[in-house]
Amino acid sequence: MGVYDQGVMFASEMDGVDPLKGIRQEFYLNDEVIYMDGNSLGLFPKAAEASLLRVLEDYKRMGIDCWTKTNPQLFLYQDHLGALMASLVGASPEEVTIMSNTTLNLHSMIATFYKPSAERFKILVDDLTFPTSRYAIESQLRLKGLAPEEALKEVKSLDGRTLDEDRLIEAMTEDVAIAVFPSVLYRSGQLLDVARLTQTAHERGIIIGFDCCHGVGAVPHEFSKWDVDFAVWCTYKYLNGGPGSNAALYLNKRHFGLHPGLAGWQGYVKDKQFDLLNTFEPVRNAGGWQSGTQNIFSMAPLEGSLELFNRVGVENIREKSLKLTDYLMALIDDKLTGYGFSVGNPREPHRRGGHVALEHSDAVRINQALKDNGVMPDFRAPNVIRLAPIALYTSFTEVFRVVETLVRIMDEKLYENYSSKRGTVA
């Protein structure tokens, strides 16, 4: 008997012994929708609502005094949230700060570290990373008067899904100044060996940083142990900070003595910040890379969510995440391959992140049919339906129901009622 034929009772039994099953009730859920898009925008934790409402109330009561008379103090809110985040990424609290957005944080890091010379002037990337990283890097090259076609070195994927780490390492030549890779690929969910890439880059005199938007919150990281130079990531996906919540930045303490490439007053030494001097003196930690005044209301939900993460533990989250995606892939293999579906992500636990890349030649229309039949996935060109069962709020029963819905969509050819043109937001 295949895993699908065991039916929903088997999934229910797995839910019954799930040590995290009670956490699900700490999120706002829609009983009519199976939410499989937490790798794009996480659901709202009730603790996040509570922290946002507390900050709103503080502002209502105190006005400008909310900056300094609240607990935690909003003037130093980025430090408090950075300390809550640090355990998720294996860093010391002073190496993490919450600020702006992922793209601007990458701009800040490239502006800080990129000092091209005649010998070392190239920035190494791959062709599967989320395009915003490339946009930022190319603009930084142009600001230095360099042509991206000459100074941007790209490693191409051999299969269009995954990256060969040997090829990434082979490209770490003497002309490379900085390498920037994703920790988890946004489309296929491949998890790279960050430790190996970092060690090799440093052996060859290369600064290396990572875009961890699709990793942090789903996969444990050890930035300090691995000696990563810098990392950037958003907080609205697996971390459930809400639409557009402020991003995060990791900076290895070895670099605290550097001058920020994009300086601003929020990075100033705190006891002198309101002296308003014309000479910039940055805080000697990741907070020194802050720029403008923080968006407190976009940060506040993250406080409640991070407290939930720290209570549950990222290792426990990863353990359940792997079980959920294992189960989903087994169901796909057992029931969906006959309909033309395949799994496009690596299957080994140490090589995959938190979502399953379900591939089909008619993925656009099937994705739309799923949405109209009680499942919320997302589509990524050219042929991927991303399904992300989230350890904190997705049940094994829901995973079974997703596959059950896909079977019905294919049997009844419901996808044929939709256009093959994707929407503006996929």
Side-chain angles (χ1 to χ4, degrees), residues 29 37 51 83 105 117 119 132 144 162 230 240 249 251 261 267 273 302 332 351 360 400:
L29 305 170
D37 204 10
S51 56
N105 289 352
S117 66
E119 296 77 25
T132 193
K144 295 290 188 181
T162 59
F230 68 87
N240 312 307
L249 167 71
L251 182 69
Q273 184 169 340
L302 189 59
I332 292 167
R351 296 188 63 232
H360 195 281
F400 179 84

Side-chain angles (χ1 to χ4, degrees), residues 9-253:
M9 290 301 296
F10 176 75
S12 180
E13 290 172 4
M14 295 174 72
D15 286 328
V17 297
D18 173 21
L20 302 188
K21 61 184 177 182
I23 304 299
R24 173 180 168 85
Q25 303 307 316
E26 299 190 35
F27 285 80
Y28 285 104
L29 305 170
N30 182 344
D31 292 336
E32 298 180 0
V33 177
I34 300 175
Y35 197 79
M36 300 292 283
D37 204 10
N39 60 326
S40 190
L41 180 64
L43 290 181
F44 198 26
K46 295 174 183 177
E49 179 186 41
S51 56
L52 173 59
L53 292 177
R54 189 201 72 234
V55 170
L56 285 168
E57 187 63 28
D58 287 342
Y59 172 46
K60 285 163 57 179
R61 291 188 300 105
M62 299 184 187
I64 197 169
D65 277 347
C66 73
W67 283 113
T68 56
K69 293 185 178 180
T70 57
N71 184 24
Q73 188 183 116
L74 296 186
F75 182 58
L76 300 175
Y77 206 24
Q78 60 272 11
D79 296 343
H80 177 69
L81 297 182
L84 289 175
M85 183 78 76
S87 63
L88 303 187
V89 297
S92 59
E94 66 269 21
E95 292 178 308
V96 181
T97 194
I98 308 300
M99 56 184 273
S100 63
N101 60 54
T102 306
T103 306
L104 288 179
N105 289 352
L106 181 57
H107 270 289
S108 179
M109 292 294 93
I110 300 300
T112 298
F113 286 106
Y114 187 51
K115 311 294 182 186
S117 66
E119 296 77 25
R120 284 190 184 270
F121 64 95
K122 292 187 177 181
I123 298 180
L124 179 63
V125 298
D126 64 89
D127 70 336
L128 296 183
T129 195
F130 195 75
T132 193
S133 295
R134 189 181 186 115
Y135 304 156
I137 291 168
E138 287 187 356
S139 68
Q140 288 290 325
L141 291 173
R142 292 190 182 99
L143 285 171
K144 295 290 188 181
L146 298 171
E149 56 267 26
E150 296 176 1
L152 188 71
K153 185 174 185 178
E154 180 186 75
V155 179
K156 292 188 177 297
S157 167
L158 295 175
D159 61 7
R161 296 184 182 93
T162 59
L163 297 172
D164 184 335
E165 285 149 333
D166 289 337
R167 285 169 52 82
L168 297 179
I169 288 172
E170 181 182 348
M172 294 180 182
T173 51
E174 292 182 353
D175 56 352
V176 173
I178 301 176
V180 180
F181 301 127
S183 65
V184 175
L185 273 63
Y186 78 95
R187 186 186 290 114
S188 73
Q190 179 191 6
L191 172 62
L192 296 182
D193 189 340
V194 174
R196 180 189 176 205
L197 292 171
T198 300
Q199 179 180 349
T200 306
H202 289 168
E203 289 170 353
R204 301 182 183 186
I206 298 170
I207 293 289
I208 188 166
F210 292 88
D211 175 348
C212 300
C213 287
H214 288 271
V216 176
V219 179
H221 293 65
E222 294 288 348
F223 291 150
S224 296
K225 177 181 176 181
W226 298 334
D227 204 27
V228 170
D229 291 297
F230 68 87
V232 297
W233 62 98
C234 63
T235 63
Y236 50 79
K237 300 182 189 295
Y238 291 103
L239 294 172
N240 312 307
S245 57
N246 284 25
L249 167 71
Y250 163 83
L251 182 69
N252 192 301
K253 64 178 64 176

Side-chain angles (χ1 to χ4, degrees), residues 188-426:
S188 73
Q190 179 191 6
L191 172 62
L192 296 182
D193 189 340
V194 174
R196 180 189 176 205
L197 292 171
T198 300
Q199 179 180 349
T200 306
H202 289 168
E203 289 170 353
R204 301 182 183 186
I206 298 170
I207 293 289
I208 188 166
F210 292 88
D211 175 348
C212 300
C213 287
H214 288 271
V216 176
V219 179
H221 293 65
E222 294 288 348
F223 291 150
S224 296
K225 177 181 176 181
W226 298 334
D227 204 27
V228 170
D229 291 297
F230 68 87
V232 297
W233 62 98
C234 63
T235 63
Y236 50 79
K237 300 182 189 295
Y238 291 103
L239 294 172
N240 312 307
S245 57
N246 284 25
L249 167 71
Y250 163 83
L251 182 69
N252 192 301
K253 64 178 64 176
R254 292 186 291 105
H255 303 303
F256 286 174
L258 295 177
H259 195 87
L262 299 179
W265 90 304
Q266 194 69 4
Y268 209 93
V269 174
K270 293 308 170 188
D271 61 353
K272 296 182 180 180
Q273 184 169 340
F274 277 85
D275 289 348
L276 303 179
L277 303 174
N278 287 331
T279 301
F280 183 62
E281 184 181 347
V283 180
R284 294 304 181 187
N285 56 40
W289 274 255
Q290 293 277 335
S291 53
T293 303
Q294 291 291 63
N295 302 310
I296 296 298
F297 295 155
S298 293
M299 299 166 71
L302 189 59
E303 180 184 358
S305 184
L306 288 175
E307 288 173 349
L308 176 61
F309 269 87
N310 282 296
R311 173 158 57 87
V312 174
V314 68
E315 295 289 347
N316 294 323
I317 290 170
R318 176 61 168 167
E319 182 179 356
K320 182 180 175 183
S321 174
L322 289 173
K323 290 178 180 177
L324 286 166
T325 50
D326 276 334
Y327 183 50
L328 177 54
M329 290 188 294
L331 289 168
I332 292 167
D333 292 341
D334 191 36
K335 197 63 179 178
L336 295 181
T337 53
Y339 297 99
F341 290 98
S342 60
V343 172
N345 53 272
R347 291 178 180 260
E348 306 93 324
H350 69 280
R351 296 188 63 232
R352 73 174 192 267
H355 74 267
V356 170
L358 182 64
E359 296 185 350
H360 195 281
S361 59
D362 233 334
V364 173
R365 296 200 291 176
I366 296 169
N367 190 75
Q368 293 179 79
L370 279 169
K371 289 184 177 181
D372 284 347
N373 284 272
V375 177
M376 182 62 69
D378 72 5
F379 168 78
R380 289 294 178 266
N383 65 338
V384 175
I385 300 170
R386 297 192 307 181
L387 299 172
I390 304 301
L392 292 174
Y393 52 77
T394 304
S395 69
F396 290 90
T397 299
E398 286 180 316
V399 171
F400 179 84
R401 294 300 187 197
V402 168
V403 176
E404 187 179 50
T405 302
L406 280 165
V407 169
R408 180 167 59 84
I409 287 170
M410 303 310 292
D411 281 344
E412 299 178 14
K413 301 187 184 302
L414 299 180
Y415 63 93
E416 294 182 354
N417 297 322
Y418 299 87
S419 168
S420 59
K421 182 180 179 181
R422 69 163 177 82
T424 302
V425 179

